Amino acid sequence: MNNETKEHRMAFGQPKIEYKSNAQIRKMREAGLVLAEALDTVVDAARIGTTTAELDALFEGVLERHGATSNFKGYYGFPATICASVNDQVVHGFPSDYVLADGDVLKIDGGAIIDGWHSDSARTILVGTPDPADQRLSDVTEQAMWRGIAALANARFVGAIGEAIDDYVSSVEGEPLGILEDYVGHGIGTEMHQAPDVLNYRSGDRGARVKPGMCLAIEPMLVRGGIETRTLDDDWTVVTTDGSRASQWEHSVAVHLGGIWVLSAHDGGAAGLAPFGITPAPLQD
């Protein structure tokens, strides 16, 4: 989501946050599980010689099999069910006849809707034998996502997510990695992009207060070079200005009275949160 996009405004410019009931969060979990399966299918198929259009068709097939619909296809005219962004393409890349090659860094961002409730998740796939620097980039980005999710478990304000991500990325030894600031996480529910914005960096703004019923898509995007980006002539594909490679990882997460629940992870976030001493809290039927 572009940080400049401000939707769901009430009077006086205040963001309107949609808080979900437990039943609605369970419905979002259904969408999240379908999405996780669709992403698994794409990850398994993303090999040297496969086209990104073929991956899009596989993803769409999983959604159709479960009676889900895509929240990407047709969104402001977007032509596909996934964003497939390769190498210096950060986000919003179109699936095409591009043939995956050894060493490619592929970002797959997708979503699913069940009964009007949305999920959103992204993964970075390293094709063939990765460059060690690209492996590090993806690993740090994924870990940054989990740091942000873990911070949400005890956060009073949404800004704590970005602080945790920024602190971690800044502490990693070796070549510095850049955190994109123009594209951020977001609320999610009856629409894919809702208030509040979820920054991936320290900003001095503590953000919205965390309350039960809040559902957020947490999605850090890191680059090996500078954080400046530009949009290609298709008006969608975002690339790094200096040609450096990028990584994106994302999960949809719910806050409820019992804790947090990673809606788009098969295990609810158990493995990713365990290193931080946090146990996800699934809602019981």
mmCIF file with all atom_site columns, all heavy atoms in Angstrom, residues 143-152 158-171 179 199-202:
data_model
loop_
_atom_site.group_PDB
_atom_site.id
_atom_site.type_symbol
_atom_site.label_atom_id
_atom_site.label_alt_id
_atom_site.label_comp_id
_atom_site.label_asym_id
_atom_site.label_entity_id
_atom_site.label_seq_id
_atom_site.pdbx_PDB_ins_code
_atom_site.Cartn_x
_atom_site.Cartn_y
_atom_site.Cartn_z
_atom_site.occupancy
_atom_site.B_iso_or_equiv
_atom_site.pdbx_formal_charge
_atom_site.auth_seq_id
_atom_site.auth_comp_id
_atom_site.auth_asym_id
_atom_site.auth_atom_id
_atom_site.pdbx_PDB_model_num
ATOM 1   N N   . GLN A 1 143 ? 12.414 -11.990 9.122  1.00 0.00 ? 143 GLN A N   1
ATOM 2   C CA  . GLN A 1 143 ? 12.570 -11.838 10.565 1.00 0.00 ? 143 GLN A CA  1
ATOM 3   C C   . GLN A 1 143 ? 12.033 -10.486 11.041 1.00 0.00 ? 143 GLN A C   1
ATOM 4   O O   . GLN A 1 143 ? 11.444 -10.384 12.122 1.00 0.00 ? 143 GLN A O   1
ATOM 5   C CB  . GLN A 1 143 ? 14.042 -11.979 10.937 1.00 0.00 ? 143 GLN A CB  1
ATOM 6   C CG  . GLN A 1 143 ? 14.337 -11.879 12.417 1.00 0.00 ? 143 GLN A CG  1
ATOM 7   C CD  . GLN A 1 143 ? 13.699 -12.963 13.259 1.00 0.00 ? 143 GLN A CD  1
ATOM 8   O OE1 . GLN A 1 143 ? 13.534 -12.809 14.472 1.00 0.00 ? 143 GLN A OE1 1
ATOM 9   N NE2 . GLN A 1 143 ? 13.329 -14.081 12.647 1.00 0.00 ? 143 GLN A NE2 1
ATOM 10  N N   . ALA A 1 144 ? 12.219 -9.449  10.220 1.00 0.00 ? 144 ALA A N   1
ATOM 11  C CA  . ALA A 1 144 ? 11.680 -8.136  10.571 1.00 0.00 ? 144 ALA A CA  1
ATOM 12  C C   . ALA A 1 144 ? 10.165 -8.185  10.688 1.00 0.00 ? 144 ALA A C   1
ATOM 13  O O   . ALA A 1 144 ? 9.569  -7.565  11.576 1.00 0.00 ? 144 ALA A O   1
ATOM 14  C CB  . ALA A 1 144 ? 12.104 -7.104  9.527  1.00 0.00 ? 144 ALA A CB  1
ATOM 15  N N   . MET A 1 145 ? 9.529  -8.918  9.766  1.00 0.00 ? 145 MET A N   1
ATOM 16  C CA  . MET A 1 145 ? 8.073  -9.083  9.850  1.00 0.00 ? 145 MET A CA  1
ATOM 17  C C   . MET A 1 145 ? 7.680  -9.707  11.179 1.00 0.00 ? 145 MET A C   1
ATOM 18  O O   . MET A 1 145 ? 6.768  -9.222  11.865 1.00 0.00 ? 145 MET A O   1
ATOM 19  C CB  . MET A 1 145 ? 7.568  -9.941  8.694  1.00 0.00 ? 145 MET A CB  1
ATOM 20  C CG  . MET A 1 145 ? 6.082  -10.254 8.757  1.00 0.00 ? 145 MET A CG  1
ATOM 21  S SD  . MET A 1 145 ? 5.583  -11.566 7.592  1.00 0.00 ? 145 MET A SD  1
ATOM 22  C CE  . MET A 1 145 ? 6.453  -12.997 8.282  1.00 0.00 ? 145 MET A CE  1
ATOM 23  N N   . TRP A 1 146 ? 8.375  -10.783 11.556 1.00 0.00 ? 146 TRP A N   1
ATOM 24  C CA  . TRP A 1 146 ? 8.027  -11.451 12.807 1.00 0.00 ? 146 TRP A CA  1
ATOM 25  C C   . TRP A 1 146 ? 8.317  -10.566 14.011 1.00 0.00 ? 146 TRP A C   1
ATOM 26  O O   . TRP A 1 146 ? 7.587  -10.611 15.020 1.00 0.00 ? 146 TRP A O   1
ATOM 27  C CB  . TRP A 1 146 ? 8.739  -12.795 12.916 1.00 0.00 ? 146 TRP A CB  1
ATOM 28  C CG  . TRP A 1 146 ? 8.131  -13.833 12.031 1.00 0.00 ? 146 TRP A CG  1
ATOM 29  C CD1 . TRP A 1 146 ? 8.682  -14.422 10.930 1.00 0.00 ? 146 TRP A CD1 1
ATOM 30  C CD2 . TRP A 1 146 ? 6.805  -14.397 12.148 1.00 0.00 ? 146 TRP A CD2 1
ATOM 31  N NE1 . TRP A 1 146 ? 7.798  -15.298 10.348 1.00 0.00 ? 146 TRP A NE1 1
ATOM 32  C CE2 . TRP A 1 146 ? 6.640  -15.305 11.080 1.00 0.00 ? 146 TRP A CE2 1
ATOM 33  C CE3 . TRP A 1 146 ? 5.758  -14.204 13.049 1.00 0.00 ? 146 TRP A CE3 1
ATOM 34  C CZ2 . TRP A 1 146 ? 5.459  -16.019 10.896 1.00 0.00 ? 146 TRP A CZ2 1
ATOM 35  C CZ3 . TRP A 1 146 ? 4.577  -14.918 12.864 1.00 0.00 ? 146 TRP A CZ3 1
ATOM 36  C CH2 . TRP A 1 146 ? 4.448  -15.820 11.802 1.00 0.00 ? 146 TRP A CH2 1
ATOM 37  N N   . ARG A 1 147 ? 9.353  -9.759  13.949 1.00 0.00 ? 147 ARG A N   1
ATOM 38  C CA  . ARG A 1 147 ? 9.621  -8.799  15.035 1.00 0.00 ? 147 ARG A CA  1
ATOM 39  C C   . ARG A 1 147 ? 8.473  -7.816  15.168 1.00 0.00 ? 147 ARG A C   1
ATOM 40  O O   . ARG A 1 147 ? 8.060  -7.470  16.271 1.00 0.00 ? 147 ARG A O   1
ATOM 41  C CB  . ARG A 1 147 ? 10.922 -8.050  14.742 1.00 0.00 ? 147 ARG A CB  1
ATOM 42  C CG  . ARG A 1 147 ? 12.161 -8.921  14.689 1.00 0.00 ? 147 ARG A CG  1
ATOM 43  C CD  . ARG A 1 147 ? 12.836 -9.041  15.999 1.00 0.00 ? 147 ARG A CD  1
ATOM 44  N NE  . ARG A 1 147 ? 13.986 -9.938  15.933 1.00 0.00 ? 147 ARG A NE  1
ATOM 45  C CZ  . ARG A 1 147 ? 15.003 -9.910  16.770 1.00 0.00 ? 147 ARG A CZ  1
ATOM 46  N NH1 . ARG A 1 147 ? 15.017 -9.028  17.752 1.00 0.00 ? 147 ARG A NH1 1
ATOM 47  N NH2 . ARG A 1 147 ? 15.994 -10.782 16.668 1.00 0.00 ? 147 ARG A NH2 1
ATOM 48  N N   . GLY A 1 148 ? 7.962  -7.369  14.024 1.00 0.00 ? 148 GLY A N   1
ATOM 49  C CA  . GLY A 1 148 ? 6.828  -6.454  14.069 1.00 0.00 ? 148 GLY A CA  1
ATOM 50  C C   . GLY A 1 148 ? 5.570  -7.096  14.616 1.00 0.00 ? 148 GLY A C   1
ATOM 51  O O   . GLY A 1 148 ? 4.843  -6.494  15.410 1.00 0.00 ? 148 GLY A O   1
ATOM 52  N N   . ILE A 1 149 ? 5.319  -8.341  14.210 1.00 0.00 ? 149 ILE A N   1
ATOM 53  C CA  . ILE A 1 149 ? 4.148  -9.060  14.718 1.00 0.00 ? 149 ILE A CA  1
ATOM 54  C C   . ILE A 1 149 ? 4.285  -9.297  16.218 1.00 0.00 ? 149 ILE A C   1
ATOM 55  O O   . ILE A 1 149 ? 3.322  -9.121  16.985 1.00 0.00 ? 149 ILE A O   1
ATOM 56  C CB  . ILE A 1 149 ? 3.966  -10.391 13.961 1.00 0.00 ? 149 ILE A CB  1
ATOM 57  C CG1 . ILE A 1 149 ? 3.628  -10.128 12.494 1.00 0.00 ? 149 ILE A CG1 1
ATOM 58  C CG2 . ILE A 1 149 ? 2.868  -11.236 14.615 1.00 0.00 ? 149 ILE A CG2 1
ATOM 59  C CD1 . ILE A 1 149 ? 3.632  -11.365 11.617 1.00 0.00 ? 149 ILE A CD1 1
ATOM 60  N N   . ALA A 1 150 ? 5.475  -9.684  16.655 1.00 0.00 ? 150 ALA A N   1
ATOM 61  C CA  . ALA A 1 150 ? 5.703  -9.921  18.084 1.00 0.00 ? 150 ALA A CA  1
ATOM 62  C C   . ALA A 1 150 ? 5.494  -8.641  18.886 1.00 0.00 ? 150 ALA A C   1
ATOM 63  O O   . ALA A 1 150 ? 4.934  -8.667  19.996 1.00 0.00 ? 150 ALA A O   1
ATOM 64  C CB  . ALA A 1 150 ? 7.113  -10.468 18.307 1.00 0.00 ? 150 ALA A CB  1
ATOM 65  N N   . ALA A 1 151 ? 5.914  -7.515  18.327 1.00 0.00 ? 151 ALA A N   1
ATOM 66  C CA  . ALA A 1 151 ? 5.736  -6.241  19.026 1.00 0.00 ? 151 ALA A CA  1
ATOM 67  C C   . ALA A 1 151 ? 4.254  -5.914  19.203 1.00 0.00 ? 151 ALA A C   1
ATOM 68  O O   . ALA A 1 151 ? 3.845  -5.337  20.223 1.00 0.00 ? 151 ALA A O   1
ATOM 69  C CB  . ALA A 1 151 ? 6.432  -5.126  18.255 1.00 0.00 ? 151 ALA A CB  1
ATOM 70  N N   . LEU A 1 152 ? 3.441  -6.295  18.213 1.00 0.00 ? 152 LEU A N   1
ATOM 71  C CA  . LEU A 1 152 ? 2.008  -6.027  18.289 1.00 0.00 ? 152 LEU A CA  1
ATOM 72  C C   . LEU A 1 152 ? 1.376  -6.720  19.488 1.00 0.00 ? 152 LEU A C   1
ATOM 73  O O   . LEU A 1 152 ? 0.404  -6.212  20.069 1.00 0.00 ? 152 LEU A O   1
ATOM 74  C CB  . LEU A 1 152 ? 1.323  -6.490  16.997 1.00 0.00 ? 152 LEU A CB  1
ATOM 75  C CG  . LEU A 1 152 ? -0.194 -6.381  16.934 1.00 0.00 ? 152 LEU A CG  1
ATOM 76  C CD1 . LEU A 1 152 ? -0.647 -4.937  17.071 1.00 0.00 ? 152 LEU A CD1 1
ATOM 77  C CD2 . LEU A 1 152 ? -0.723 -6.987  15.634 1.00 0.00 ? 152 LEU A CD2 1
ATOM 78  N N   . VAL A 1 158 ? 0.065  1.328   17.454 1.00 0.00 ? 158 VAL A N   1
ATOM 79  C CA  . VAL A 1 158 ? 0.513  0.659   16.242 1.00 0.00 ? 158 VAL A CA  1
ATOM 80  C C   . VAL A 1 158 ? 1.950  1.030   15.894 1.00 0.00 ? 158 VAL A C   1
ATOM 81  O O   . VAL A 1 158 ? 2.683  0.234   15.308 1.00 0.00 ? 158 VAL A O   1
ATOM 82  C CB  . VAL A 1 158 ? -0.446 0.983   15.079 1.00 0.00 ? 158 VAL A CB  1
ATOM 83  C CG1 . VAL A 1 158 ? 0.103  0.509   13.746 1.00 0.00 ? 158 VAL A CG1 1
ATOM 84  C CG2 . VAL A 1 158 ? -1.818 0.360   15.332 1.00 0.00 ? 158 VAL A CG2 1
ATOM 85  N N   . GLY A 1 159 ? 2.389  2.218   16.269 1.00 0.00 ? 159 GLY A N   1
ATOM 86  C CA  . GLY A 1 159 ? 3.742  2.650   15.960 1.00 0.00 ? 159 GLY A CA  1
ATOM 87  C C   . GLY A 1 159 ? 4.825  1.748   16.514 1.00 0.00 ? 159 GLY A C   1
ATOM 88  O O   . GLY A 1 159 ? 5.963  1.750   16.015 1.00 0.00 ? 159 GLY A O   1
ATOM 89  N N   . ALA A 1 160 ? 4.500  0.953   17.536 1.00 0.00 ? 160 ALA A N   1
ATOM 90  C CA  . ALA A 1 160 ? 5.482  0.035   18.106 1.00 0.00 ? 160 ALA A CA  1
ATOM 91  C C   . ALA A 1 160 ? 5.932  -1.011  17.098 1.00 0.00 ? 160 ALA A C   1
ATOM 92  O O   . ALA A 1 160 ? 7.043  -1.549  17.205 1.00 0.00 ? 160 ALA A O   1
ATOM 93  C CB  . ALA A 1 160 ? 4.901  -0.648  19.346 1.00 0.00 ? 160 ALA A CB  1
ATOM 94  N N   . ILE A 1 161 ? 5.087  -1.315  16.117 1.00 0.00 ? 161 ILE A N   1
ATOM 95  C CA  . ILE A 1 161 ? 5.441  -2.299  15.078 1.00 0.00 ? 161 ILE A CA  1
ATOM 96  C C   . ILE A 1 161 ? 6.618  -1.780  14.261 1.00 0.00 ? 161 ILE A C   1
ATOM 97  O O   . ILE A 1 161 ? 7.626  -2.470  14.076 1.00 0.00 ? 161 ILE A O   1
ATOM 98  C CB  . ILE A 1 161 ? 4.227  -2.589  14.184 1.00 0.00 ? 161 ILE A CB  1
ATOM 99  C CG1 . ILE A 1 161 ? 3.098  -3.221  14.992 1.00 0.00 ? 161 ILE A CG1 1
ATOM 100 C CG2 . ILE A 1 161 ? 4.631  -3.484  13.011 1.00 0.00 ? 161 ILE A CG2 1
ATOM 101 C CD1 . ILE A 1 161 ? 1.771  -3.275  14.245 1.00 0.00 ? 161 ILE A CD1 1
ATOM 102 N N   . GLY A 1 162 ? 6.501  -0.573  13.761 1.00 0.00 ? 162 GLY A N   1
ATOM 103 C CA  . GLY A 1 162 ? 7.567  0.012   12.971 1.00 0.00 ? 162 GLY A CA  1
ATOM 104 C C   . GLY A 1 162 ? 8.840  0.210   13.770 1.00 0.00 ? 162 GLY A C   1
ATOM 105 O O   . GLY A 1 162 ? 9.953  0.041   13.239 1.00 0.00 ? 162 GLY A O   1
ATOM 106 N N   . GLU A 1 163 ? 8.704  0.568   15.040 1.00 0.00 ? 163 GLU A N   1
ATOM 107 C CA  . GLU A 1 163 ? 9.885  0.738   15.884 1.00 0.00 ? 163 GLU A CA  1
ATOM 108 C C   . GLU A 1 163 ? 10.645 -0.579  16.028 1.00 0.00 ? 163 GLU A C   1
ATOM 109 O O   . GLU A 1 163 ? 11.882 -0.607  15.939 1.00 0.00 ? 163 GLU A O   1
ATOM 110 C CB  . GLU A 1 163 ? 9.465  1.256   17.257 1.00 0.00 ? 163 GLU A CB  1
ATOM 111 C CG  . GLU A 1 163 ? 8.925  2.684   17.226 1.00 0.00 ? 163 GLU A CG  1
ATOM 112 C CD  . GLU A 1 163 ? 8.330  3.111   18.552 1.00 0.00 ? 163 GLU A CD  1
ATOM 113 O OE1 . GLU A 1 163 ? 8.346  2.293   19.497 1.00 0.00 ? 163 GLU A OE1 1
ATOM 114 O OE2 . GLU A 1 163 ? 7.852  4.260   18.639 1.00 0.00 ? 163 GLU A OE2 1
ATOM 115 N N   . ALA A 1 164 ? 9.905  -1.672  16.231 1.00 0.00 ? 164 ALA A N   1
ATOM 116 C CA  . ALA A 1 164 ? 10.546 -2.983  16.378 1.00 0.00 ? 164 ALA A CA  1
ATOM 117 C C   . ALA A 1 164 ? 11.238 -3.406  15.087 1.00 0.00 ? 164 ALA A C   1
ATOM 118 O O   . ALA A 1 164 ? 12.357 -3.945  15.108 1.00 0.00 ? 164 ALA A O   1
ATOM 119 C CB  . ALA A 1 164 ? 9.515  -4.024  16.800 1.00 0.00 ? 164 ALA A CB  1
ATOM 120 N N   . ILE A 1 165 ? 10.582 -3.167  13.947 1.00 0.00 ? 165 ILE A N   1
ATOM 121 C CA  . ILE A 1 165 ? 11.176 -3.515  12.661 1.00 0.00 ? 165 ILE A CA  1
ATOM 122 C C   . ILE A 1 165 ? 12.437 -2.696  12.413 1.00 0.00 ? 165 ILE A C   1
ATOM 123 O O   . ILE A 1 165 ? 13.498 -3.231  12.055 1.00 0.00 ? 165 ILE A O   1
ATOM 124 C CB  . ILE A 1 165 ? 10.151 -3.298  11.531 1.00 0.00 ? 165 ILE A CB  1
ATOM 125 C CG1 . ILE A 1 165 ? 9.024  -4.335  11.626 1.00 0.00 ? 165 ILE A CG1 1
ATOM 126 C CG2 . ILE A 1 165 ? 10.827 -3.353  10.163 1.00 0.00 ? 165 ILE A CG2 1
ATOM 127 C CD1 . ILE A 1 165 ? 7.858  -4.077  10.694 1.00 0.00 ? 165 ILE A CD1 1
ATOM 128 N N   . ASP A 1 166 ? 12.348 -1.404  12.629 1.00 0.00 ? 166 ASP A N   1
ATOM 129 C CA  . ASP A 1 166 ? 13.477 -0.505  12.399 1.00 0.00 ? 166 ASP A CA  1
ATOM 130 C C   . ASP A 1 166 ? 14.654 -0.857  13.304 1.00 0.00 ? 166 ASP A C   1
ATOM 131 O O   . ASP A 1 166 ? 15.804 -0.939  12.855 1.00 0.00 ? 166 ASP A O   1
ATOM 132 C CB  . ASP A 1 166 ? 13.028 0.934   12.638 1.00 0.00 ? 166 ASP A CB  1
ATOM 133 C CG  . ASP A 1 166 ? 13.933 1.957   11.968 1.00 0.00 ? 166 ASP A CG  1
ATOM 134 O OD1 . ASP A 1 166 ? 15.127 1.666   11.767 1.00 0.00 ? 166 ASP A OD1 1
ATOM 135 O OD2 . ASP A 1 166 ? 13.449 3.056   11.657 1.00 0.00 ? 166 ASP A OD2 1
ATOM 136 N N   . ASP A 1 167 ? 14.375 -1.094  14.576 1.00 0.00 ? 167 ASP A N   1
ATOM 137 C CA  . ASP A 1 167 ? 15.442 -1.417  15.521 1.00 0.00 ? 167 ASP A CA  1
ATOM 138 C C   . ASP A 1 167 ? 16.164 -2.694  15.114 1.00 0.00 ? 167 ASP A C   1
ATOM 139 O O   . ASP A 1 167 ? 17.397 -2.782  15.198 1.00 0.00 ? 167 ASP A O   1
ATOM 140 C CB  . ASP A 1 167 ? 14.878 -1.566  16.932 1.00 0.00 ? 167 ASP A CB  1
ATOM 141 C CG  . ASP A 1 167 ? 14.469 -0.234  17.541 1.00 0.00 ? 167 ASP A CG  1
ATOM 142 O OD1 . ASP A 1 167 ? 14.794 0.819   16.945 1.00 0.00 ? 167 ASP A OD1 1
ATOM 143 O OD2 . ASP A 1 167 ? 13.811 -0.250  18.613 1.00 0.00 ? 167 ASP A OD2 1
ATOM 144 N N   . TYR A 1 168 ? 15.399 -3.685  14.680 1.00 0.00 ? 168 TYR A N   1
ATOM 145 C CA  . TYR A 1 168 ? 16.017 -4.950  14.285 1.00 0.00 ? 168 TYR A CA  1
ATOM 146 C C   . TYR A 1 168 ? 16.864 -4.783  13.033 1.00 0.00 ? 168 TYR A C   1
ATOM 147 O O   . TYR A 1 168 ? 18.035 -5.195  12.992 1.00 0.00 ? 168 TYR A O   1
ATOM 148 C CB  . TYR A 1 168 ? 14.954 -6.018  14.049 1.00 0.00 ? 168 TYR A CB  1
ATOM 149 C CG  . TYR A 1 168 ? 15.519 -7.238  13.364 1.00 0.00 ? 168 TYR A CG  1
ATOM 150 C CD1 . TYR A 1 168 ? 16.442 -8.061  14.006 1.00 0.00 ? 168 TYR A CD1 1
ATOM 151 C CD2 . TYR A 1 168 ? 15.176 -7.544  12.043 1.00 0.00 ? 168 TYR A CD2 1
ATOM 152 C CE1 . TYR A 1 168 ? 16.995 -9.163  13.363 1.00 0.00 ? 168 TYR A CE1 1
ATOM 153 C CE2 . TYR A 1 168 ? 15.714 -8.641  11.403 1.00 0.00 ? 168 TYR A CE2 1
ATOM 154 C CZ  . TYR A 1 168 ? 16.629 -9.436  12.066 1.00 0.00 ? 168 TYR A CZ  1
ATOM 155 O OH  . TYR A 1 168 ? 17.191 -10.508 11.430 1.00 0.00 ? 168 TYR A OH  1
ATOM 156 N N   . VAL A 1 169 ? 16.289 -4.179  11.984 1.00 0.00 ? 169 VAL A N   1
ATOM 157 C CA  . VAL A 1 169 ? 17.023 -4.033  10.725 1.00 0.00 ? 169 VAL A CA  1
ATOM 158 C C   . VAL A 1 169 ? 18.294 -3.210  10.928 1.00 0.00 ? 169 VAL A C   1
ATOM 159 O O   . VAL A 1 169 ? 19.355 -3.528  10.376 1.00 0.00 ? 169 VAL A O   1
ATOM 160 C CB  . VAL A 1 169 ? 16.118 -3.396  9.650  1.00 0.00 ? 169 VAL A CB  1
ATOM 161 C CG1 . VAL A 1 169 ? 16.902 -3.117  8.371  1.00 0.00 ? 169 VAL A CG1 1
ATOM 162 C CG2 . VAL A 1 169 ? 14.938 -4.314  9.344  1.00 0.00 ? 169 VAL A CG2 1
ATOM 163 N N   . SER A 1 170 ? 18.209 -2.198  11.757 1.00 0.00 ? 170 SER A N   1
ATOM 164 C CA  . SER A 1 170 ? 19.370 -1.352  12.018 1.00 0.00 ? 170 SER A CA  1
ATOM 165 C C   . SER A 1 170 ? 20.461 -2.074  12.791 1.00 0.00 ? 170 SER A C   1
ATOM 166 O O   . SER A 1 170 ? 21.635 -1.698  12.717 1.00 0.00 ? 170 SER A O   1
ATOM 167 C CB  . SER A 1 170 ? 18.946 -0.100  12.802 1.00 0.00 ? 170 SER A CB  1
ATOM 168 O OG  . SER A 1 170 ? 18.004 0.661   12.072 1.00 0.00 ? 170 SER A OG  1
ATOM 169 N N   . SER A 1 171 ? 20.072 -3.119  13.523 1.00 0.00 ? 171 SER A N   1
ATOM 170 C CA  . SER A 1 171 ? 21.030 -3.837  14.367 1.00 0.00 ? 171 SER A CA  1
ATOM 171 C C   . SER A 1 171 ? 21.743 -4.976  13.644 1.00 0.00 ? 171 SER A C   1
ATOM 172 O O   . SER A 1 171 ? 22.711 -5.527  14.173 1.00 0.00 ? 171 SER A O   1
ATOM 173 C CB  . SER A 1 171 ? 20.309 -4.405  15.594 1.00 0.00 ? 171 SER A CB  1
ATOM 174 O OG  . SER A 1 171 ? 19.491 -5.518  15.240 1.00 0.00 ? 171 SER A OG  1
ATOM 175 N N   . ILE A 1 179 ? 14.930 0.246   4.483  1.00 0.00 ? 179 ILE A N   1
ATOM 176 C CA  . ILE A 1 179 ? 13.509 -0.007  4.716  1.00 0.00 ? 179 ILE A CA  1
ATOM 177 C C   . ILE A 1 179 ? 12.709 0.985   3.878  1.00 0.00 ? 179 ILE A C   1
ATOM 178 O O   . ILE A 1 179 ? 12.832 2.198   4.066  1.00 0.00 ? 179 ILE A O   1
ATOM 179 C CB  . ILE A 1 179 ? 13.139 0.171   6.195  1.00 0.00 ? 179 ILE A CB  1
ATOM 180 C CG1 . ILE A 1 179 ? 13.985 -0.735  7.095  1.00 0.00 ? 179 ILE A CG1 1
ATOM 181 C CG2 . ILE A 1 179 ? 11.647 -0.106  6.409  1.00 0.00 ? 179 ILE A CG2 1
ATOM 182 C CD1 . ILE A 1 179 ? 13.798 -0.462  8.583  1.00 0.00 ? 179 ILE A CD1 1
ATOM 183 N N   . LEU A 1 199 ? 3.377  1.585   9.693  1.00 0.00 ? 199 LEU A N   1
ATOM 184 C CA  . LEU A 1 199 ? 4.708  1.947   9.221  1.00 0.00 ? 199 LEU A CA  1
ATOM 185 C C   . LEU A 1 199 ? 5.722  0.867   9.585  1.00 0.00 ? 199 LEU A C   1
ATOM 186 O O   . LEU A 1 199 ? 5.555  0.146   10.573 1.00 0.00 ? 199 LEU A O   1
ATOM 187 C CB  . LEU A 1 199 ? 5.144  3.280   9.827  1.00 0.00 ? 199 LEU A CB  1
ATOM 188 C CG  . LEU A 1 199 ? 4.195  4.471   9.641  1.00 0.00 ? 199 LEU A CG  1
ATOM 189 C CD1 . LEU A 1 199 ? 4.859  5.748   10.153 1.00 0.00 ? 199 LEU A CD1 1
ATOM 190 C CD2 . LEU A 1 199 ? 3.760  4.630   8.197  1.00 0.00 ? 199 LEU A CD2 1
ATOM 191 N N   . ASN A 1 200 ? 6.772  0.773   8.775  1.00 0.00 ? 200 ASN A N   1
ATOM 192 C CA  . ASN A 1 200 ? 7.829  -0.210  9.003  1.00 0.00 ? 200 ASN A CA  1
ATOM 193 C C   . ASN A 1 200 ? 9.105  0.441   9.536  1.00 0.00 ? 200 ASN A C   1
ATOM 194 O O   . ASN A 1 200 ? 10.173 -0.167  9.481  1.00 0.00 ? 200 ASN A O   1
ATOM 195 C CB  . ASN A 1 200 ? 8.140  -0.946  7.702  1.00 0.00 ? 200 ASN A CB  1
ATOM 196 C CG  . ASN A 1 200 ? 6.954  -1.732  7.193  1.00 0.00 ? 200 ASN A CG  1
ATOM 197 O OD1 . ASN A 1 200 ? 6.339  -2.492  7.928  1.00 0.00 ? 200 ASN A OD1 1
ATOM 198 N ND2 . ASN A 1 200 ? 6.623  -1.544  5.918  1.00 0.00 ? 200 ASN A ND2 1
ATOM 199 N N   . TYR A 1 201 ? 8.975  1.642   10.066 1.00 0.00 ? 201 TYR A N   1
ATOM 200 C CA  . TYR A 1 201 ? 10.140 2.403   10.496 1.00 0.00 ? 201 TYR A CA  1
ATOM 201 C C   . TYR A 1 201 ? 9.724  3.351   11.625 1.00 0.00 ? 201 TYR A C   1
ATOM 202 O O   . TYR A 1 201 ? 8.538  3.614   11.837 1.00 0.00 ? 201 TYR A O   1
ATOM 203 C CB  . TYR A 1 201 ? 10.712 3.207   9.316  1.00 0.00 ? 201 TYR A CB  1
ATOM 204 C CG  . TYR A 1 201 ? 9.687  4.086   8.633  1.00 0.00 ? 201 TYR A CG  1
ATOM 205 C CD1 . TYR A 1 201 ? 9.478  5.397   9.034  1.00 0.00 ? 201 TYR A CD1 1
ATOM 206 C CD2 . TYR A 1 201 ? 8.889  3.583   7.600  1.00 0.00 ? 201 TYR A CD2 1
ATOM 207 C CE1 . TYR A 1 201 ? 8.521  6.191   8.427  1.00 0.00 ? 201 TYR A CE1 1
ATOM 208 C CE2 . TYR A 1 201 ? 7.932  4.377   6.982  1.00 0.00 ? 201 TYR A CE2 1
ATOM 209 C CZ  . TYR A 1 201 ? 7.759  5.678   7.399  1.00 0.00 ? 201 TYR A CZ  1
ATOM 210 O OH  . TYR A 1 201 ? 6.798  6.466   6.805  1.00 0.00 ? 201 TYR A OH  1
ATOM 211 N N   . ARG A 1 202 ? 10.721 3.864   12.351 1.00 0.00 ? 202 ARG A N   1
ATOM 212 C CA  . ARG A 1 202 ? 10.463 4.861   13.386 1.00 0.00 ? 202 ARG A CA  1
ATOM 213 C C   . ARG A 1 202 ? 10.086 6.175   12.739 1.00 0.00 ? 202 ARG A C   1
ATOM 214 O O   . ARG A 1 202 ? 10.761 6.635   11.819 1.00 0.00 ? 202 ARG A O   1
ATOM 215 C CB  . ARG A 1 202 ? 11.701 5.059   14.259 1.00 0.00 ? 202 ARG A CB  1
ATOM 216 C CG  . ARG A 1 202 ? 11.945 3.944   15.259 1.00 0.00 ? 202 ARG A CG  1
ATOM 217 C CD  . ARG A 1 202 ? 13.108 4.268   16.177 1.00 0.00 ? 202 ARG A CD  1
ATOM 218 N NE  . ARG A 1 202 ? 13.194 3.295   17.253 1.00 0.00 ? 202 ARG A NE  1
ATOM 219 C CZ  . ARG A 1 202 ? 12.534 3.358   18.406 1.00 0.00 ? 202 ARG A CZ  1
ATOM 220 N NH1 . ARG A 1 202 ? 11.716 4.382   18.621 1.00 0.00 ? 202 ARG A NH1 1
ATOM 221 N NH2 . ARG A 1 202 ? 12.686 2.430   19.325 1.00 0.00 ? 202 ARG A NH2 1
#
